[in-house]
Amino acid sequence: MIAPNLQPPKATRRALIVSLAAGVLLPFGATYAATPSLAIVNAQIFDGTGAAPYRGTLVVQDGRIAAVGPDVRAPKGAQVVDAKGEALVPGFFDVHTHWTPAGSPAITPKIADAYVASGVTTVNDFHQQPESFAPRRQWLSTLTAPHVNFVARISTPGGHGADWADEATTRWVDTPEGAKAAVEGLAPYRPDAIKAFTDGWRYGSAPDNTSMDGWTLKALTDAAHKQNLKVLSHTVTVERGAVASDSGVDIIAHSLQDRPIDAETVAKLKANGTFYAPTLAVYEPVKPGQKPPADADSPRAKQAARKFGYALANVKTLKDAGVPIALGTDAGMPGTLHGVSTLREMELLVQAGLTPSEALVAGTATSARAMNLLADRGTLEKGKRADFVLIAGQPWTSIEDVRKVDRVYIDGRAAFGKGATRAPANDRLTMPALKAKALIDDFQRADGRTSLDTLRLNDFDGGRDRSMEVSQVLDKGDGDLVLSVAAKMAIKAEPDAGVLLPLSRGSVEPVDATAFKGLTFDIRGDGGAYVVTINTVSGPWTAKVTAQPTWSKVTVPFSAFARAGKGEGAWTGADLLEVGVGGSRPAGRKLWFELDDVTFF
């Protein structure tokens, strides 16, 4: 799998490298123009350093904290915000989120709004394929949004995280050599961190996935650390937690919840400097606003309650032992809402045994320290990024006051509340559409990329038992290259396999194909039915074709496509993301087809 050349022009390369290293979401090459200073006066300042709150003033200049303290005065000419009666705290930092739903980028501005309104100024996003990192960074630079660290994913064949999409989203490794190669292969995409799916336990409610052995995980963390990348792990059992810590994982990004944690494992986490982000919000059996389940006495409900009890108790045990507690939520998973779940996590940390002040530090300074960003953010200190929140309360006394967010500042700019200016791009569901080009893929490139320089994707069923697919470019016999797809169907209902051709890098920018009437391509196959799919921002559209063992040209007008899945709205042709060809065969049977010259006509 070949990564594209993602180098920006030389003139902006240095500025881009500096901005990405600090998690800055500025347009490429942009710098702060000289602006009047901002002074927040009369605030009760909780600076996140462990010091007691005090009444004081914070001064911002060019996106940084120029001064803060009880004796600081507002500079002449500064914009003054009187925060009398309010708390001033560092912006919150969530180390574990998923910017879902999958399959459509249209939700990104709404997710950004939710985090900003909750005072969350930095997040880690675990959900995106690395091919999309560059266009998503560009998009985020146009939004009022938190700083987003993009985390590349590595699992094992048959492991959690490898149960959907293909290796363009989650690399699959099961040897030290494979792990090292996977990390090195991700480097051109400039990930901000690596997520390792190390634990296949499915909480006792489903068959287990595979787990990553210690040798492979150690090779992964070694390779990541050589690139100055932190490694966060999906680890949910005490035994695997010990393996993760001994193998060099920096942050265990879930609760260890199969049993009470033992003293030996606690000692390992402490000795190894492992951070712990328990994501209690995703495991809370009945979340705020939800009704108790009707089957509260069922084995599944009792298991969920038991696991959550272990999760809470293990946080307290680790905290008491001196293991640093960070904040993560797994937001984006069902029932775990973006933004407010970060606030709920702090409440749950207090429920687990942290003091309100300790929970605030977990959600600010400790999370920044876990990601090696404490020199840049996480506390209110001179020289640091001016990301902070004004709260109408005293959350260090009553943690529920974190919900009383009044104003939010990101890089010293008002992002939420009085005086905030929301970027116009936040009102758009997508980036501006690109004009479609006629040729999508003629398969003349042997590097896995389309004629549009997008990464070709294998598209096969998800789940624990997945169909086995091989796609490769072959010589047709006359020097013309074609795509060959062969698959063995999984043993389950409606297995499927095929290929997706993204119309823009990472399928982030939609494409306007209104200048065209449909799709045409050459195909030969096993004589069965195939499905042509056009994925759009509003959902998928499909049409059925057949293909015999001899080559034929197929033309499918846009009018032949029908709405599929849960999408809504009429066909517009202006919001296309991907074109795909695939099919389904009976369980255990084989499917094959060859494809060439996919174009709009």
Side-chain angles (χ1 to χ4, degrees):
M1 189 175 299
I2 306 298
N5 179 3
L6 296 177
Q7 289 293 328
K10 287 183 179 180
T12 64
R13 192 172 302 162
R14 177 177 171 78
L16 176 58
I17 290 171
V18 170
S19 68
L20 291 178
V24 184
L25 294 180
L26 294 175
F28 291 164
T31 58
Y32 275 97
T35 57
S37 56
L38 167 71
I40 311 295
V41 303
N42 296 322
Q44 284 295 117
I45 298 175
F46 181 93
D47 62 16
T49 66
Y54 61 88
R55 183 176 177 179
T57 294
L58 181 145
V59 177
V60 176
Q61 184 68 52
D62 297 333
R64 294 277 166 177
I65 298 173
V68 60
D71 300 320
V72 172
R73 297 291 180 264
K76 184 178 180 180
Q79 175 191 352
V80 175
V81 173
D82 190 346
K84 184 177 180 180
E86 293 194 310
L88 179 61
V89 303
F92 302 129
F93 193 141
D94 194 327
V95 303
H96 188 160
T97 76
H98 295 260
W99 285 42
T100 53
S104 172
I107 201 72
T108 292
K110 293 181 181 179
I111 294 175
D113 287 344
Y115 279 112
V116 172
S118 295
V120 183
T121 58
T122 304
V123 302
N124 292 345
D125 180 10
F126 285 11
H127 208 73
Q128 313 307 331
Q129 57 166 300
E131 183 81 1
S132 77
F133 289 177
R136 286 184 181 278
R137 285 175 174 135
Q138 180 183 355
W139 189 6
L140 284 163
S141 74
T142 70
L143 301 175
T144 299
H147 308 290
V148 180
N149 298 317
F150 288 105
V151 182
R153 302 156 52 99
I154 302 177
S155 186
T156 51
H160 183 52
D163 45 11
W164 62 279
D166 70 354
E167 288 197 74
T169 297
T170 307
R171 302 291 199 268
W172 306 348
V173 304
D174 59 3
T175 66
E177 295 79 8
K180 181 175 181 289
V183 174
E184 292 173 349
L186 290 165
Y189 292 108
R190 297 193 298 273
D192 297 301
I194 302 291
K195 179 179 183 179
F197 293 85
T198 69
D199 195 336
W201 186 54
R202 301 311 297 144
Y203 310 106
S205 59
D208 290 346
N209 295 125
T210 59
S211 295
M212 190 177 295
D213 64 67
W215 295 279
T216 300
L217 183 55
K218 184 64 165 61
L220 185 158
T221 60
D222 285 348
H225 292 160
K226 286 180 180 178
Q227 296 186 31
N228 295 317
L229 297 174
K230 294 292 186 180
V231 177
L232 304 93
S233 71
H234 173 99
T235 309
V236 291
T237 60
V238 172
E239 179 183 0
R240 300 300 305 176
V243 173
S245 182
D246 278 343
S247 300
V249 165
D250 299 290
I251 308 171
I252 293 176
H254 274 306
S255 283
L256 308 180
Q257 58 195 275
D258 61 323
R259 60 179 172 87
I261 194 165
D262 57 89
E264 182 181 357
T265 300
V266 172
K268 286 184 176 183
L269 267 65
K270 183 176 181 180
N272 293 326
T274 309
F275 288 77
Y276 189 67
T279 64
L280 297 170
V282 77
Y283 295 119
E284 187 175 17
V286 181
K287 296 174 173 58
Q290 292 182 342
K291 294 180 180 180
D295 61 346
D297 292 328
S298 68
R300 186 183 183 92
K302 289 180 178 179
Q303 164 78 339
R306 183 166 55 251
K307 292 189 292 91
F308 192 60
Y310 290 147
L312 290 170
N314 288 342
V315 171
K316 179 67 161 59
T317 299
L318 289 165
K319 190 272 291 191
D320 288 347
V323 172
I325 307 299
L327 186 151
T329 58
D330 213 7
M333 295 297 101
T336 311
L337 304 178
H338 293 290
V340 293
S341 292
T342 307
L343 308 181
R344 180 58 179 163
E345 185 74 14
M346 285 183 272
E347 295 173 339
L348 291 171
L349 289 174
V350 172
Q351 184 178 329
L354 276 68
T355 67
S357 291
E358 289 171 336
L360 287 171
V361 171
T364 55
T366 306
S367 290
R369 181 158 61 95
M371 289 297 297
N372 198 31
L373 287 171
L374 186 57
D376 182 71
R377 69 196 73 174
T379 61
L380 302 179
E381 296 180 276
K382 182 178 179 179
K384 291 193 176 183
R385 186 176 302 281
D387 294 346
F388 52 84
V389 186
L390 284 170
I391 293 174
Q394 294 185 340
W396 52 85
T397 300
S398 176
I399 195 61
E400 292 79 10
D401 282 356
V402 293
R403 296 180 179 271
K404 300 177 182 178
V405 173
D406 182 40
R407 305 190 198 192
V408 179
Y409 291 81
I410 299 176
D411 291 331
R413 297 167 176 169
F416 174 80
K418 185 178 179 180
T421 302
R422 186 168 169 270
N426 284 70
D427 291 322
R428 295 180 56 95
L429 290 180
T430 68
M431 297 180 75
L434 304 171
K435 290 296 183 182
K437 298 179 179 179
L439 178 61
I440 300 170
D441 205 351
D442 61 6
F443 306 102
Q444 295 308 296
R445 295 179 61 159
D447 60 359
R449 304 187 71 80
T450 69
S451 299
L452 298 172
D453 194 27
T454 63
L455 184 63
R456 209 174 292 130
L457 306 174
N458 289 332
D459 183 32
F460 52 107
D461 46 51
R464 188 172 185 275
D465 182 20
R466 308 189 68 183
S467 295
M468 294 183 290
E469 176 176 336
V470 175
S471 64
Q472 57 185 325
V473 172
L474 301 176
D475 191 324
K476 195 173 174 181
D478 58 0
D480 184 24
L481 300 180
V482 301
L483 180 70
S484 170
V485 176
K488 181 180 179 182
M489 299 289 102
I491 306 299
K492 60 180 172 184
E494 300 182 356
D496 63 81
V499 63
L500 284 175
L501 310 175
L503 299 176
S504 67
R505 184 164 290 175
S507 306
V508 175
E509 296 171 276
V511 166
D512 183 344
T514 54
F516 300 96
K517 298 179 180 180
L519 282 172
T520 183
F521 51 86
D522 296 337
I523 190 170
R524 73 185 192 102
D526 57 21
Y530 297 89
V531 176
V532 183
T533 300
I534 299 178
N535 288 326
T536 72
V537 170
S538 60
W541 296 75
T542 60
K544 291 185 177 180
V545 300
T546 58
Q548 303 301 321
T550 55
W551 283 99
S552 63
K553 180 175 288 293
V554 173
T555 298
V556 188
F558 290 143
S559 59
F561 285 84
R563 168 71 75 185
K566 298 180 180 180
E568 298 179 353
W571 171 269
T572 68
D575 64 345
L576 280 57
L577 297 172
E578 298 160 334
V579 169
V581 177
S584 179
R585 299 292 182 266
R589 300 288 294 274
K590 295 180 179 179
L591 168 148
W592 71 269
F593 64 91
E594 293 179 356
L595 192 64
D596 198 12
D597 294 332
V598 182
T599 65
F600 290 118
F601 72 88

